Amino acid sequence: VDADEALTYAPKLGVKIARGIFETMRITSVMVGGALVAAVILTIIALLGVPGGPASPAGGFLASVGLALLTSGVVMMVAGAVAAGLAVIAKWVFVGRISPGDHPLWSSFIWRGEVADCFVELVAAPWFTRNAVGTPAIVWYLRAMGARIGHGVWCESYWLPEADLVRL
């Protein structure tokens, strides 16, 4: 790589502080994942309150449990779509379009990519991508991440770290 070797082997204090800031930003993906869990739980609890709720007679409560059971799959699919969308947004906000090239290890490009990768691994993967491999939905997601994927491609992976550089 045609770059200052100190950025890889002997970064200065200011560079280390900048790296620390980006490392701290990675926690946002954990917080977003937790918010998704809370949103799903609160949505299902709200469904339990329609039409009866725990305080109503047993028949009303059983009806609301039935409604929650019938709609919880839809709630989970919506949560998965939201998770995928958030990972796509994080990729474009933190990294943008990726062009071929070399980058030193201690550079903002690498750090921003790691923050975006956390959204893929901690938000999109548990809620969407692990369950979507081999489906058209994973292809739509990977295209939104920047990959160029042709018609009829069967993809068994959600992990394309620099998706803009991938053509399937």
Side-chain angles (χ1 to χ4, degrees):
V1 175
D2 187 25
D4 181 8
E5 286 193 18
L7 287 176
T8 298
Y9 300 109
K12 294 182 178 165
L13 179 61
V15 175
K16 290 180 181 181
I17 291 170
R19 172 71 189 241
I21 292 168
F22 276 98
E23 287 298 316
T24 303
M25 290 171 52
R26 292 170 76 163
I27 194 132
T28 58
S29 61
V30 175
M31 291 186 288
V32 167
L36 270 172
V37 169
V40 166
I41 291 170
L42 291 173
T43 301
I44 293 174
I45 287 172
L47 289 169
L48 285 170
V50 177
S56 64
F61 180 69
L62 292 177
S64 63
V65 168
L67 177 65
L69 287 172
L70 288 173
T71 58
S72 61
V74 174
V75 171
M76 295 298 286
M77 289 190 333
V78 169
V82 168
L86 290 171
V88 169
I89 290 168
K91 186 267 185 194
W92 291 105
V93 167
F94 285 106
V95 181
R97 173 122 358 242
I98 299 172
S99 300
D102 295 322
H103 302 277
L105 182 61
W106 286 79
S107 69
S108 111
F109 174 81
I110 300 297
W111 306 336
R112 289 180 287 118
E114 289 173 351
V115 173
D117 289 347
C118 281
F119 276 85
V120 171
E121 285 296 322
L122 299 174
V123 179
W127 288 97
F128 173 74
T129 57
R130 288 185 192 139
N131 298 317
V133 292
T135 70
I138 197 71
V139 172
W140 302 331
Y141 165 78
L142 292 172
R143 285 178 182 156
M145 294 293 273
R148 290 176 297 278
I149 301 176
H151 179 74
V153 170
W154 177 283
C155 188
E156 292 265 345
S157 177
Y158 67 86
W159 189 241
L160 302 177
E162 283 81 29
D164 298 297
L165 305 178
V166 174
R167 182 182 301 251
L168 300 174

